Amino acid sequence: MIQYKIFPDNLNSHLFSVELSFATQIDKTYHLSLPAWLPGSYMIRDFAKNIVEIYAHNGIQETEQTIKGISLNKTDKQTWQFTATSTFTVITYQIFAFDLSVRTAYLDSERGFFNGSSTFLQVEELPDEKCQLSIFLPEPIMKASPDKLSHWRVATGLTRAKGTEKYQFGDYIAHDYQELIDCPVAIGNFDAFEFTVEGVIHHLVFTSKHFGDRERLKADIAKLCQHHINLFGEAPFKEYWFITHLLGSGFGGLEHKNSTILQASRFDLPNPNKPDETSENYQTFLSLCSHEYFHAWNVCRIKPKEFHPYNLQEEVHTRQLWAYEGITSYYDDFSLFRTGLISFEDYLKQLSKTATRVYRGQGELKQSVTDSSFDTWTKFYQQGPDAVNNIVSYYTKGSLIALWLDLTIRKKSAGNYSLDTLMRELWIHFGRTNMGTSEEDFINIANILCNEDITDAFLTLLNNAQRVDLAPLLSQVGIAFAPQKFKQLNSLETTDSDAYSPYIGAQYKALPLGVKITQVIENSPAAQAGLAVTDVLVSVNNIQVSEKSLQQLAEHFPENTQVTCHYFRDDQLITSEIIFIDSPLAAIGITEVDSTLSEKWRCKR
Ligand SMILES: [Zn+2]
């Protein structure tokens, strides 16, 4: 057993103290390391950079005099080596924790949080050893404010050791290091409530103040959980934890086997005063919950063969992320419709936005989804200002390929099977059995369900940088899929009107003075005016612009008006000319035209 202890003992300097101890063989050399990345987030993050001080000693603690330090040699950016001098060794170190993303660790006087991957050193010689984690209450709070202390609790998917009750500080168990780092921990005075689906207790934890409708959250998220459990046929966990960091604004999520860490705005939660309203922000939050919960099967258990096991020391390349993120993205919104949380019309609006994100740039004509998966480490996860033009997202394009696959299987099997069936087959053959998938496995199962060889068409979609032609398949299920104009300059909304709709090919966000450019489509009027990402556009036609007035100005110019514009690049004012043209058909409108036919897609199989 490897014993880890964590002390949140310097809240205001954001430092956790960690103690790691284990039985050692005298004269044997051991290696301790932290991962360079964590599963689900494909970027080298070098978590070891947050280790502040590290010491080792021989662990004989009967009298202080017998404790002897052991020298630790650092052998690379994340590894320490030592030779044991006794039968028990203790390592102590501190972790700087001030990142409230879902990926690392955070500590202040209000809350604490840590992923094991950025907190707990692995003993490389003992990868399969059972781990015990003892989580201690913050010391300064105990001394300074015992009242506050009484409200701090623990939320984690780790197994509670005997004597530790739910939400208590105390001892937790992991079967091995991989499980230890797959169960992030939140501590603090948080709100927590539960619901049960198929006998599985699901915890909803919000780590900061919120005003959301608890009963509605429970009821709505329970529907999504029931949907996903039904889809795969079983829940492969005894408990599940949705742990949400609430901020003024924020968005993100990371999947784990029996928990997820989410980040959202406290105002994304449903308003108890408006029980019949599903705001766009709440819909996005539900979609995020749906997405991460689906991952509990699809990528946490069914996963690419390259992730068996994870090598967390360096990049691991797979060409299959289109399936793991794309199919998950397809189901995140589709399940909102299927469970009645949103209407079919609202679902199609969401799908239009997804398709528009893929179609508006040239990225999908330059990079395939399999290449995008492979290169995620340096491209998708490190997007530059050219991303919209030069790379394709394996999330959005992958979800369109998932839709193509669903409709193809439904059509060729005469409605007997669907993508649901394919996911269940994957679960049975690769999830339950803990076997990694290869690309051929998806194709083979699809061929069987279609009772036809669709390999060529499938591989073309995966490996070629070309558009997915969804119009013919969707028309067979009563859905129109048509390239349309953008309704407004700075929006993904589409219009089927032929009327002039001004366009410059840039996205931007409002500033107190002017608008900051966030995206420029190549060869667009904005690009021809020289505008680039991070420029601040301050005037058009010598009129100061805001997000609103730029739209108003554009609507008053005749088509193809060329006007002077001024923008700042860094601190230099640049004068240029910009032309307002009619929107190209670069957005996608998706609408239902035949509700009897659409039943072929909407029904579950
Ligand atoms: Zn995901």
Side-chain angles (χ1 to χ4, degrees):
M1 171 99 84
I2 299 177
Q3 170 76 52
Y4 294 89
K5 294 178 184 173
I6 186 158
F7 309 88
D9 57 4
N10 195 335
L11 306 184
N12 295 329
S13 293
H14 322 291
L15 290 166
F16 283 106
S17 291
V18 182
E19 187 183 295
L20 154 62
S21 57
F22 55 103
T24 41
Q25 290 176 31
I26 294 171
D27 292 337
K28 182 173 173 173
T29 298
Y30 291 87
H31 296 83
L32 308 165
S33 62
L34 267 192
W37 62 282
L38 82 169
S41 185
Y42 307 103
M43 193 168 125
I44 295 299
R45 297 187 190 274
D46 291 332
F47 299 118
K49 68 187 172 197
N50 288 318
I51 291 188
V52 181
E53 291 177 295
I54 180 164
Y55 302 103
H57 65 79
N58 63 0
I60 301 162
Q61 294 177 336
E62 288 84 46
T63 62
E64 283 243 334
Q65 286 74 13
T66 57
I67 295 177
K68 288 201 176 71
I70 301 171
S71 66
L72 279 169
N73 298 318
K74 198 167 184 187
T75 56
D76 63 29
K77 63 182 177 178
Q78 59 212 359
T79 311
W80 288 260
Q81 169 190 298
F82 71 92
T83 301
T85 58
S86 70
T87 56
F88 192 72
T89 301
V90 180
I91 317 293
T92 61
Y93 55 95
Q94 288 189 311
I95 293 282
F96 177 66
F98 201 52
D99 173 18
L100 200 51
S101 78
V102 299
R103 298 177 297 261
T104 49
Y106 184 86
L107 183 65
D108 71 7
S109 56
E110 298 300 313
R111 55 185 157 181
F113 166 73
F114 50 89
N115 276 285
S117 44
S118 54
T119 314
F120 301 124
L121 284 165
Q122 179 180 25
V123 183
E124 290 184 1
E125 284 70 21
L126 304 168
D128 302 321
E129 194 85 357
K130 200 171 173 181
C131 302
Q132 176 169 307
L133 172 63
S134 305
I135 307 170
F136 291 84
L137 264 167
E139 283 281 333
I141 287 185
M142 289 175 78
K143 286 177 190 149
S145 176
D147 285 350
K148 203 168 178 181
L149 153 83
S150 62
H151 299 296
W152 277 54
R153 298 189 286 173
V154 174
T156 177
L158 283 168
T159 304
R160 296 177 284 278
K162 216 174 167 193
T164 302
E165 299 297 320
K166 193 187 292 181
Y167 302 127
Q168 272 188 353
F169 287 85
D171 300 334
Y172 291 80
I173 303 291
H175 289 109
D176 55 23
Y177 182 78
Q178 290 301 325
E179 186 181 321
L180 178 72
I181 65 170
D182 189 48
C183 297
V185 178
I187 58 174
N189 176 15
F190 50 67
D191 188 25
F193 38 103
E194 304 170 5
F195 60 87
T196 302
V197 178
E198 298 289 333
V200 178
I201 295 177
H202 292 69
H203 303 265
L204 288 175
V205 174
F206 295 96
T207 67
S208 176
K209 193 174 199 165
H210 75 89
F211 315 98
D213 182 337
R214 292 179 178 81
E215 292 308 313
R216 184 154 178 217
L217 280 162
K218 283 197 278 189
D220 290 353
I221 296 172
K223 285 181 189 165
L224 294 167
C225 296
Q226 185 74 60
H227 172 272
H228 294 358
I229 293 172
N230 290 351
L231 191 149
F232 287 101
E234 62 188 318
F237 33 74
K238 292 195 184 99
E239 279 188 15
Y240 190 90
W241 296 75
F242 290 93
I243 298 171
T244 306
H245 294 312
L246 292 171
L247 302 164
S249 66
F251 177 80
L254 193 61
E255 65 274 12
H256 300 279
K257 275 188 167 174
N258 68 351
S259 65
T260 178
I261 304 298
L262 309 170
Q263 194 190 66
S265 160
R266 62 187 97 250
F267 300 108
D268 291 346
L269 304 187
N271 185 337
N273 297 329
K274 297 181 178 175
D276 300 322
E277 183 187 289
T278 299
S279 68
E280 208 171 310
N281 288 354
Y282 181 44
Q283 187 180 319
T284 304
F285 178 71
L286 287 173
S287 175
L288 180 64
C289 293
S290 173
H291 183 99
E292 304 305 341
Y293 193 69
F294 197 87
H295 271 321
W297 290 265
N298 195 40
V299 92
C300 287
R301 290 178 172 87
I302 311 166
K303 54 183 158 187
K305 64 180 189 316
E306 294 86 353
F307 292 170
H308 271 281
Y310 286 112
N311 172 3
L312 299 176
Q313 302 299 307
E314 59 190 43
E315 294 92 337
V316 178
H317 297 282
T318 174
R319 306 185 75 82
Q320 297 176 53
L321 294 179
W322 66 269
Y324 289 98
E325 290 301 347
I327 294 175
T328 304
S329 296
Y330 174 58
Y331 279 109
D332 61 24
D333 286 330
F334 196 34
S335 60
L336 293 190
F337 154 66
R338 282 176 150 189
T339 53
L341 292 169
I342 60 171
S343 66
F344 192 50
E345 195 185 349
D346 283 343
Y347 169 62
L348 293 182
K349 268 189 206 156
Q350 204 54 41
L351 189 59
S352 299
K353 277 189 196 163
T354 303
T356 298
R357 283 199 176 91
V358 179
Y359 276 64
R360 70 187 153 160
Q362 298 288 302
E364 69 162 337
L365 305 178
K366 296 178 183 173
Q367 190 189 39
S368 68
V369 287
T370 47
D371 283 346
S372 180
S373 302
F374 189 88
D375 282 329
T376 186
W377 302 87
T378 48
K379 288 181 181 264
F380 187 78
Y381 263 89
Q382 298 197 51
Q383 292 185 23
D386 65 326
V388 68
N389 299 309
N390 294 334
I391 67 169
V392 68
S393 158
Y394 51 80
Y395 283 78
T396 49
K397 178 78 176 277
S399 75
L400 297 185
I401 292 175
L403 169 60
W404 174 88
L405 195 52
D406 194 13
L407 295 175
T408 301
I409 296 171
R410 285 169 187 269
K411 181 182 159 195
K412 297 201 183 281
S413 70
N416 286 316
Y417 306 120
S418 70
L419 188 59
D420 294 5
T421 332
L422 186 140
M423 295 315 295
R424 261 195 303 274
E425 290 296 312
L426 281 170
W427 169 246
I428 291 164
H429 298 291
F430 299 93
R432 264 196 213 147
T433 57
N434 213 18
M435 296 247 303
T437 61
S438 61
E439 202 165 279
E440 294 74 50
D441 297 319
F442 291 88
I443 297 169
N444 292 341
I445 297 173
N447 283 342
I448 292 167
L449 298 180
C450 289
N451 198 24
E452 188 182 319
D453 191 347
I454 63 161
T455 307
D456 288 349
F458 200 168
L459 281 180
T460 301
L461 284 183
L462 297 183
N463 294 331
N464 291 9
Q466 65 179 54
R467 299 213 187 280
V468 196
D469 191 5
L470 287 165
L473 277 170
L474 279 168
S475 78
Q476 289 174 17
V477 293
I479 307 292
F481 178 97
Q484 292 182 343
K485 293 179 182 179
F486 287 99
K487 198 172 176 181
Q488 296 202 313
L489 293 177
N490 194 30
S491 155
L492 292 178
E493 264 192 78
T494 66
T495 174
D496 58 0
S497 160
D498 289 335
Y500 171 60
S501 182
Y503 173 88
I504 56 168
Q507 298 282 297
Y508 41 83
K509 64 178 184 187
L511 291 180
L513 177 64
V515 295
K516 187 169 194 170
I517 306 296
T518 55
Q519 210 170 59
V520 177
I521 302 289
E522 70 182 7
N523 302 320
S524 66
Q528 282 158 2
L531 279 164
V533 169
T534 72
D535 286 349
V536 177
L537 179 64
V538 289
S539 79
V540 163
N541 206 16
N542 294 318
I543 304 289
Q544 183 189 325
V545 296
S546 64
E547 189 181 14
K548 189 177 170 191
S549 71
L550 184 53
Q551 180 66 35
Q552 289 170 324
L553 276 167
E555 286 172 5
H556 283 80
F557 295 143
E559 188 176 342
N560 296 324
T561 297
Q562 181 168 321
V563 289
T564 301
C565 64
H566 293 94
Y567 56 89
F568 280 101
R569 175 162 305 160
D570 190 21
D571 60 351
Q572 288 198 62
L573 183 67
I574 297 174
T575 305
S576 184
E577 296 285 315
I578 187 161
I579 185 163
F580 287 79
I581 62 168
D582 191 17
S583 168
L585 300 176
I588 295 292
I590 302 178
T591 46
E592 185 179 46
V593 287
D594 186 328
S595 61
T596 311
L597 275 179
S598 72
E599 185 57 27
K600 286 186 186 175
W601 174 30
R602 290 187 286 138
C603 68
K604 287 177 195 163
R605 281 285 176 268

